[in-house]
Amino acid sequence: MSSLSLAARDASTMLRRNLLHARRYPSLTLNLLLTPIMLLLLFVYIFGDTMSAGIGEGGADRSAYLAYILPGILMLTIGGTTIGSAVSVSTDMTEGIIARFRTMAIHRGSVLIGHVIGSVLQCVLSVLLVAAVAVAIGFRSIDATAVDWVLALGLLTLVSLALTWIAVGMGLSSPNVEAASNNAMPLMVLPLISSAFVPVDAMPGWFQPIAEYQPFTPAIETLRGLLLGTEIGHNGWLAVAWCVALTVLGYLWSKSLFNRDPK
């Protein structure tokens, strides 16, 4: 059997292990998933009439605001789900299972690959669940074609991959599980200070560069363009560039931390 086949076999075994853990201990995933769903319902039903002023063509329009904030909520969902990846990786590192894996005849990188693939699958399922809730409360995407939906799902998967590798690095660099959870919180906070809930132009002048020049805003604007038919402009290639850069950075960081000799 070739080394590539062995690596694929070991990675699939680690993926199955992580999926079994997620199934047996669903509380972390559910807790992280409930936050974006609660924010979606909160902003639509509590703040929707007020915050939608100026977004809908006819003034305050709750349904228009639901369509506007959904891409941001989906990014928030991905950020929250990847926090679980940081916690899971940190748990493996602190409980000694990684040391056990190092003594076994398995592909060295299969442990991380299993975590990453499992996290991306959980992110996609979480996004689909939140999108289903949005459809149930009135979201409609009339202008989006089948190709637009496929591209939107592809972008969400790419964002999931990028943030997962960053979360894995955070988990590996954290001394304990609590620190891993805290260190990964920016992945859920950054979408809150992007164009997720209000347009960048409506923010204070000093704050606009913070919201504009970060990875989530181009991705959110690209999703809006795909699902709502708004202008995408340069946001499409910016979103892809951010995702590729973060994936490479997270991979190299995680690989470096994982390959260090244990203390």
Side-chain angles (χ1 to χ4, degrees), residues 107-124:
H107 188 269
R108 193 175 182 87
S110 63
V111 179
L112 297 186
I113 294 173
H115 275 291
V116 170
I117 298 176
S119 176
V120 171
L121 290 176
Q122 290 183 63
C123 285
V124 173

Side-chain angles (χ1 to χ4, degrees), residues 24-99:
R24 292 173 180 172
Y25 306 100
S27 57
L28 176 61
T29 301
L30 289 176
N31 288 336
L32 294 172
L33 184 59
L34 284 176
T35 299
I37 291 178
M38 292 303 297
L39 284 175
L40 177 65
L41 298 177
L42 176 69
F43 275 91
V44 171
Y45 289 109
I46 305 300
F47 304 135
D49 287 339
T50 300
M51 297 191 69
S52 62
I55 292 180
E57 294 181 359
D61 184 351
R62 182 178 292 169
S63 62
Y65 190 60
L66 168 60
Y68 182 84
I69 67 170
L70 180 59
I73 294 293
L74 295 180
M75 291 295 163
L76 193 68
T77 302
I78 294 174
T81 305
T82 54
I83 293 178
S85 302
V87 172
S88 180
V89 170
S90 180
T91 299
D92 280 354
M93 294 296 293
T94 56
E95 290 187 350
I97 189 63
I98 297 298

Side-chain angles (χ1 to χ4, degrees), residues 77-226:
T77 302
I78 294 174
T81 305
T82 54
I83 293 178
S85 302
V87 172
S88 180
V89 170
S90 180
T91 299
D92 280 354
M93 294 296 293
T94 56
E95 290 187 350
I97 189 63
I98 297 298
R100 174 63 175 165
F101 286 150
R102 291 181 190 274
T103 66
M104 299 173 64
I106 62 174
H107 188 269
R108 193 175 182 87
S110 63
V111 179
L112 297 186
I113 294 173
H115 275 291
V116 170
I117 298 176
S119 176
V120 171
L121 290 176
Q122 290 183 63
C123 285
V124 173
L125 292 176
S126 299
V127 162
L128 293 177
L129 179 57
V130 173
V133 173
V135 171
I137 64 176
F139 172 76
R140 298 294 182 269
S141 181
I142 300 175
D143 297 327
T145 65
V147 174
D148 292 331
W149 280 103
V150 170
L151 291 175
L153 182 60
L155 177 59
L156 290 167
T157 303
L158 192 58
V159 172
S160 301
L161 179 63
L163 296 189
T164 295
W165 273 116
I166 296 296
V168 167
M170 290 176 173
L172 290 170
S173 63
S174 301
N176 51 57
V177 174
E178 292 77 10
S181 178
N182 293 332
N183 291 340
M185 280 304 295
L187 300 178
M188 201 167 184
V189 173
L190 277 176
L192 297 175
I193 56 176
S194 66
S195 63
F197 299 104
V198 295
V200 173
D201 294 341
M203 300 177 183
W206 62 270
F207 192 80
Q208 290 182 14
I210 300 175
E212 184 174 0
Y213 300 110
Q214 59 142 304
F216 285 101
T217 293
I220 290 171
E221 295 301 329
T222 301
L223 278 180
R224 286 197 181 112
L226 293 172

